[in-house]
């Protein structure tokens, strides 16, 4: 039998029933559909169908499709595909697939052009693009907290994955948007555990600095905190030094600070979606249990690990109880929680901003640096700096339409 492969491209105003009417014609001639894809941009349909049929039937099929397209008032184009070309395309199915996610308050043609240029330089092919956020409003009516996110599905083997990652990070810093590069594996599609740092991640402050201000040693503690978060001094040593400076502070101050914590943009929305979708969530903090427990109760985290301050007669003693939750301990707790939940470490996500978060960021299947220091951004590989913490949802692959209609 003389086999023909024909690619049909349909475009025009989208309406219910277009795809059904065209595929019904293929069904009547018993044609085999080898590939099909459809996109809709502002009510404009773009539909592609690659089908196989015998040479004796192809003329009648194209004639019927042409008449139906005219009846539906859409444009149609036919392209013959050589069998050898198709077989070469099939061999591409074995190549790796990657997901490139870009997001920010808004996305420009300049940003998208720069990202796609890097993808092309790596000799990768974009075979799918979708918008994850809602439709972008006009500038004049853009609401506060607006966000835009586009996800590219990319196929192939990068020439230099490390260079590609570093170029993405450089670009995101200079062009003011966020970007994520993930291999599209089974694990990416079934993440189950998300672990968060607390200070400067879930909340927009360092609690120890707030305590220090009340104790009258704010400048001393802040200087030590900044050096520790930049990785310039040992975390354990800096922790002991800072806690010692809090000696004599009244316990009531902790309650006041907890009730007025500045919650990071997007935390409430993110937690609502993660819980609805069945994720387990944890706070792994080098901060203090008093504030971690407050956030755990407020937002419904499943786990919380932090440092406990010693309190005697209603006053801080300047000492802590138990082992210090430092960078190594955070990574250890991440692995432990994965075992408890019986999931692969590749199914975990970690989010943090400081140098002491790096061990858990590099241990997790997906490590995200949130409004982080340069060293942390460079090491983590995934960075979120232009929007709120609910940007994590887009890195996972959630769409606004799924979130708003209660699908997750």
């Amino acid at each position: 039998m003389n086999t023909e492969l024909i690619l049909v491209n349909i475009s025009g105003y989208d309406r219910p029933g277009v795809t059904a009417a065209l595929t019904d014609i293929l069904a009547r001639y018993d044609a085999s559909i080898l590939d099909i894809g459809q996109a809709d941009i502002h009510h404009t349909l773009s539909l592609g169908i690659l089908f196989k049929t015998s040479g004796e039937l192809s003329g009648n099929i194209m004639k019927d499709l042409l008449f139906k397209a005219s009846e539906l008032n859409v444009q149609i184009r036919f392209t013959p595909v050589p069998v050898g070309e198709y077989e070469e395309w099939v061999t591409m199915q074995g190549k790796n697939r990657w997901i490139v996610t870009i997001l920010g308050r808004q996305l420009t043609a300049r940003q998208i052009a720069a990202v796609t240029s890097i993808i092309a330089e790596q000799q990768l092919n974009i075979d799918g693009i979708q918008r994850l956020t809602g439709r972008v409003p006009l500038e004049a009516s853009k609401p506060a907290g607006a966000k835009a996110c586009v996800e590219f599905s990319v196929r192939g083997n990068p020439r230099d994955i490390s260079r590609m990652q570093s170029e993405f990070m450089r670009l995101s810093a200079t062009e003011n948007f966020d970007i994520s590069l993930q291999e599209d594996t089974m694990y990416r599609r079934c993440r189950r555990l998300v672990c968060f740092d607390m200070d400067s991640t879930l909340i927009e402050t360092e609690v120890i600095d707030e305590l220090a201000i009340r104790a009258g040693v704010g400048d001393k503690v802040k200087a030590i905190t900044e050096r520790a978060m930049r990785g310039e001094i040992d975390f354990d040593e800096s922790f002991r030094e800072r806690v010692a400076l809090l000696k004599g502070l009244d316990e009531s101050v902790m309650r006041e600070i907890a009730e007025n914590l500045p919650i990071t943009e997007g935390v409430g929305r993110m937690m609502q979606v993660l819980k609805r979708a069945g994720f387990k969530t944890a706070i792994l903090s080098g901060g203090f249990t008093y504030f971690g427990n407050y956030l755990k109760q407020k937002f419904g985290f499943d786990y919380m690990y932090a440092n406990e301050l010693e309190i005697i007669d209603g006053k801080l003693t300047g000492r802590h109880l138990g082992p210090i939750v430092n960078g190594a301990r955070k990574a250890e707790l991440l692995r432990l929680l994965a075992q408890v939940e019986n999931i692969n470490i590749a199914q975990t996500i970690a989010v943090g901003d400081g140098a002491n978060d790096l061990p858990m960021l590099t241990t997790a299947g997906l490590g995200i640096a949130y409004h982080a220091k340069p060293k942390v951004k460079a090491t983590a590989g995934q960075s979120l700096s232009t929007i709120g913490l609910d940007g994590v949802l887009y890195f996972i692959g959630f769409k606004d339409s799924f979130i708003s209609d209660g699908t997750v």
Side-chain angles (χ1 to χ4, degrees):
M1 181 180 70
N2 179 25
T3 298
E4 288 193 11
L5 308 182
I6 300 173
L7 175 62
V8 182
N9 295 104
I10 301 100
S11 60
Y13 187 79
D14 194 17
R15 62 177 65 83
V18 173
T19 304
L22 297 171
T23 54
D24 180 64
I25 293 172
L26 295 176
R28 290 204 305 267
Y29 286 98
D30 200 27
S32 298
I33 294 180
L34 303 176
D35 197 17
I36 185 169
Q38 178 175 314
D40 184 293
I41 300 178
H42 197 62
H43 304 300
T44 300
L45 169 72
S46 179
L47 170 64
I49 303 174
L50 176 63
F51 69 90
K52 179 181 74 171
T53 187
S54 67
E56 292 77 13
L57 297 176
S58 61
N60 290 332
I61 294 176
M62 288 189 285
K63 180 188 69 176
D64 288 358
L65 287 173
L66 189 61
F67 283 138
K68 180 57 69 173
S70 177
E71 179 184 320
L72 295 169
N73 196 27
V74 295
Q75 290 74 51
I76 189 166
R77 186 175 76 251
F78 303 101
T79 305
V81 176
V83 172
E85 180 182 311
Y86 175 77
E87 290 176 343
E88 181 180 350
W89 176 77
V90 169
T91 64
M92 288 285 290
Q93 304 304 305
K95 293 194 175 183
N96 292 337
R97 186 187 293 274
W98 306 82
I99 299 297
V100 178
T101 310
I102 59 175
L103 69 159
R105 294 298 180 190
Q106 60 179 355
L107 293 177
T108 66
R110 177 189 176 99
Q111 293 164 337
I112 293 174
V115 169
T116 52
S117 293
I118 293 174
I119 292 172
E121 287 169 4
Q122 292 290 327
Q123 297 185 344
L124 301 174
N125 184 63
I126 299 171
D127 58 9
I129 303 175
Q130 65 172 333
R131 175 175 42 81
L132 300 186
T133 47
R135 288 183 168 84
V136 181
L138 295 176
E139 187 69 26
S141 60
K142 184 171 65 177
K147 52 185 74 73
C149 179
V150 174
E151 182 184 275
F152 299 85
S153 176
V154 180
R155 187 182 296 280
N157 298 312
R159 299 172 64 185
D160 187 339
I161 187 67
S162 297
R163 176 181 171 82
M164 185 179 181
Q165 186 76 64
S166 63
E167 283 290 296
F168 279 160
M169 290 296 99
R170 177 195 59 77
L171 191 63
S172 68
T174 57
E175 296 294 336
N176 193 34
F177 69 102
D178 297 316
I179 190 163
S180 167
L181 172 65
Q182 303 175 58
E183 189 170 4
D184 192 15
T185 64
M186 170 184 68
Y187 295 119
R188 178 188 176 268
R189 298 172 182 273
C190 55
R191 310 281 193 201
R192 304 312 310 152
L193 171 67
V194 192
C195 297
F196 298 90
D197 175 45
M198 179 173 65
D199 296 57
S200 296
T201 300
L202 291 171
I203 56 176
E204 295 179 330
T205 189
E206 295 285 329
V207 167
I208 197 166
D209 292 343
E210 299 293 331
L211 292 170
I213 291 171
R214 305 314 198 273
V217 292
D219 291 342
K220 292 181 180 179
V221 167
K222 187 173 183 180
I224 299 172
T225 298
E226 290 176 349
R227 291 178 63 203
M229 297 305 285
R230 290 194 300 265
E232 296 175 2
I233 57 176
D234 176 74
F235 179 83
D236 289 12
E237 178 186 350
S238 69
F239 178 81
R240 295 189 187 95
E241 289 181 12
R242 289 177 291 175
V243 169
L245 291 171
L246 302 178
K247 183 178 180 180
L249 190 65
D250 195 276
E251 182 182 7
S252 63
V253 173
M254 298 173 70
R255 185 182 313 111
E256 175 203 341
I257 292 174
E259 292 173 351
N260 294 280
L261 287 173
I263 306 299
T264 297
E265 176 194 346
V267 169
R269 176 178 185 249
M270 176 192 68
M271 287 300 296
Q272 183 181 45
V273 173
L274 290 177
K275 287 192 293 182
R276 203 160 70 209
F279 282 78
K280 294 295 183 178
T281 56
I283 298 173
L284 305 181
S285 173
F288 305 118
T289 55
Y290 189 95
F291 306 98
N293 283 325
Y294 177 86
L295 293 176
K296 180 183 178 184
Q297 182 176 5
K298 181 179 178 68
F299 293 107
F301 286 90
D302 297 290
Y303 301 97
M304 194 287 298
Y305 294 91
N307 298 296
E308 186 172 358
L309 294 171
E310 184 181 62
I311 301 173
I312 297 178
D313 297 330
K315 303 264 185 201
L316 273 64
T317 66
R319 296 185 296 270
H320 66 93
L321 303 173
I324 295 174
V325 179
N326 54 21
R329 179 62 174 158
K330 287 186 179 186
E332 180 185 342
L333 288 167
L334 172 65
R335 286 189 288 265
L336 176 63
L337 291 176
Q339 292 177 9
V340 169
E341 293 295 336
N342 194 30
I343 63 174
N344 190 293
I345 196 68
Q347 295 175 268
T348 65
I349 300 171
V351 186
D353 73 299
N356 68 319
D357 294 312
L358 277 175
M360 75 169 181
L361 295 183
T362 54
T363 298
L366 176 65
I368 302 172
Y370 181 73
H371 286 260
K373 285 69 179 174
K375 176 184 175 182
V376 181
K377 281 187 179 182
T379 306
Q382 321 287 336
S383 174
L384 185 60
S385 300
T386 63
I387 66 173
L389 204 56
D390 54 343
V392 169
L393 299 174
Y394 304 117
F395 282 177
I396 296 173
F398 285 124
K399 297 181 67 174
D400 278 354
S401 57
F402 293 164
I403 295 170
S404 60
D405 69 8
T407 304
V408 295

